[in-house]
Amino acid sequence: MPSWRLRDHQHSALARCAKRQCRDALYEKVRQAALQHPTSGYRLLYQELKAQGEEIGLHKIRVALGELHLHPPLPRKTRKPSPKVSAPQDWPEGRRVQIDATRLS
């Protein structure tokens, strides 16, 4: 590995640590808000944190929720029930006549 890469890595260690600590503090705030409001998405968490005076952007909240695996479950789509199948003997009289007439023609 080139020496200049090692040197740059060593010189940026303090900045990396500060950035990591800032990110961890942000994630902790988002985690606390998400645990207080488990069904809220990132938009409602943004409003909640903004009301508390935190200046966190929507994108950072979404990224933090993804990293912490705290996204609320998506609402499941409901499936329409399938129509009940009935035997031809159970059909009303008019329907039987109509189908028989269709068959004859």
Side-chain angles (χ1 to χ4, degrees):
M1 182 176 290
S3 61
W4 57 269
R5 256 194 211 156
L6 293 173
R7 185 192 64 224
D8 290 347
H9 186 75
Q10 289 173 348
H11 285 285
S12 63
L14 290 175
R16 272 197 325 275
C17 285
K19 189 174 182 180
R20 186 179 304 127
Q21 287 175 350
C22 183
R23 188 189 66 219
D24 289 344
L26 171 91
Y27 281 10
E28 184 60 29
K29 291 175 190 174
V30 171
R31 188 176 76 77
Q32 292 299 326
L35 293 176
Q36 287 176 356
H37 307 282
T39 58
S40 296
Y42 69 96
R43 290 184 178 136
L44 292 176
L45 290 178
Y46 170 74
Q47 292 175 0
E48 181 68 28
L49 290 170
K50 191 174 180 182
Q52 294 175 5
E54 302 293 336
E55 291 297 326
I56 302 172
L58 283 172
H59 180 71
K60 286 189 177 183
I61 292 175
R62 287 186 68 199
V63 170
L65 286 175
E67 291 282 326
L68 298 169
H69 305 291
L70 289 175
H71 282 294
L74 295 174
R76 296 184 62 97
K77 293 183 179 178
T78 56
R79 182 177 287 178
K80 292 182 183 177
S82 59
K84 191 175 84 173
V85 178
S86 60
Q89 295 83 13
D90 299 335
W91 293 348
E93 285 296 322
R95 184 168 180 194
R96 261 187 269 159
V97 170
Q98 183 181 5
I99 288 178
D100 289 341
T102 309
R103 285 187 190 152
L104 289 175
S105 65

